[in-house]
Amino acid sequence: MIGHPFYILDEIDSTNNYAMQQVNSGQVTSGTAWFTSNQTAGKGTRGKQWLAQPGDISALTIALQPAMLPLSRQFMLSVAVALGTTDFFTSHAGDETIIKWPNDIYWRDRKAGGILIENVLRGNIWQYAIIGIGLNINQAAFPPELPNAVSLRQITGKTHQAANLAKELCTFLDKRIRQLQPANYETLLAEYTSRLFRWQQPGLYRKDGEIFEGIIRDVLPDGHLCLEKNGEILQLGFGEVEFIITR
């Protein structure tokens, strides 16, 4: 079960790094979660740093043995985690919570969090997924270099007990991960796409230095984004396109 056991760390550089060390030591059971409200060097996607303030939920990591999925279906784990995280945030912030492809959590057009999944492979065996989730919880304000960030506190006007929210998030994730059965793949992917930021709506994107207007038409089972540009469908992998967001 996700979040059992659940450890609270006083301070750590990165809960993903810590979880990876524990997995490599062979001392971890599937579903173990680590949380800290003081992460000093959090990790984002594609090598970016996740900037966290004390009281964030941004330092929650779960070690999962993904026995329910073949390696060829690894994007379905990302789908389940994104849906579970969105379910959780929606329960506090309301229905304007959405997913920005592939794994950012948005409220309206502002970033509330992100997901980073790192895999431990032994040959062709998918031994562990290290699931890191960062959500902005108690920040009252953000620096100018983060113009489109938003926190749960800003949305609700309330200060939250981050560790309790992290445990609650584990419950939402557990429910979604239990749905990862072959008969559910199509339904889960359809729900994921329907909850995407800019789903079937025109927006600005940048690819290879060119800014253009595109419309998200689909997401393939392997995670590729189908983006319509001038009547042509581009199939784009992670990191191949940038969303242009103006405020």
Side-chain angles (χ1 to χ4, degrees):
M1 184 172 182
I2 303 299
H4 294 271
F6 183 96
Y7 296 105
I8 298 177
L9 307 173
D10 290 337
E11 179 180 297
I12 197 73
D13 59 344
S14 161
T15 50
N16 263 36
N17 284 348
Y18 185 83
M20 189 71 75
Q21 293 166 5
Q22 297 303 303
V23 165
N24 289 334
S25 74
Q27 303 299 313
V28 172
T29 57
S30 183
T32 300
W34 295 270
F35 168 79
T36 183
S37 60
N38 192 5
Q39 179 171 253
T40 59
K43 296 162 66 175
T45 56
R46 297 187 295 280
K48 296 179 181 178
Q49 184 178 2
W50 181 269
L51 300 175
Q53 299 295 325
D56 277 358
I57 200 174
S58 63
L60 175 70
T61 296
I62 297 151
L64 177 70
Q65 288 180 306
M68 76 295 291
L69 284 171
L71 189 57
S72 61
R73 286 286 193 169
Q74 60 181 290
F75 181 66
M76 289 307 303
L77 179 61
S78 182
V79 166
V81 173
L83 286 173
T85 306
T86 304
D87 293 340
F88 160 79
F89 205 80
T90 297
S91 72
H92 292 277
D95 292 337
E96 292 177 289
T97 305
I98 47 182
I99 303 164
K100 176 176 159 292
W101 177 87
N103 53 13
D104 283 339
I105 306 302
Y106 266 52
W107 183 79
R108 297 180 180 174
D109 62 348
R110 301 171 71 183
K111 183 175 179 177
I115 297 162
L116 174 65
I117 301 177
E118 300 178 286
N119 295 316
V120 179
L121 305 175
R122 296 291 185 268
N124 292 324
I125 299 174
W126 189 6
Q127 280 204 329
Y128 268 94
I130 307 300
I131 304 166
I133 301 172
L135 290 175
N136 300 325
I137 297 300
N138 285 322
Q139 294 96 323
F142 291 90
E145 61 266 26
L146 299 175
N148 74 319
V150 69
S151 71
L152 192 57
R153 177 179 174 181
Q154 290 175 323
I155 297 167
T156 66
K158 302 175 183 177
T159 301
H160 302 266
Q161 215 297 322
N164 289 342
L165 290 189
K167 293 176 183 178
E168 185 182 330
L169 173 57
C170 288
T171 302
F172 279 90
L173 293 171
D174 189 76
K175 179 180 178 180
R176 286 295 188 174
I177 287 171
R178 289 180 185 275
Q179 294 176 347
L180 286 174
Q181 304 296 330
N184 297 332
Y185 291 165
E186 187 174 342
T187 300
L188 287 170
L189 187 59
E191 184 177 359
Y192 168 87
T193 54
S194 71
R195 296 171 77 170
L196 284 178
F197 174 59
R198 292 184 179 171
W199 172 241
Q200 304 287 13
Q201 298 175 2
L204 292 179
Y205 300 86
R206 180 185 288 115
K207 183 180 186 298
D208 299 328
E210 176 194 0
I211 296 177
F212 62 93
E213 184 175 272
I215 302 175
I216 297 174
R217 294 302 190 191
D218 202 1
V219 176
L220 301 180
D222 63 1
H224 278 76
L225 181 73
C226 294
L227 188 64
E228 181 180 341
K229 173 190 175 187
N230 298 327
E232 176 189 2
I233 299 296
L234 307 177
Q235 293 187 13
L236 302 166
F238 307 143
E240 292 184 359
V241 66
E242 177 187 353
F243 288 63
I244 302 298
I245 301 173
T246 58
R247 295 192 59 79

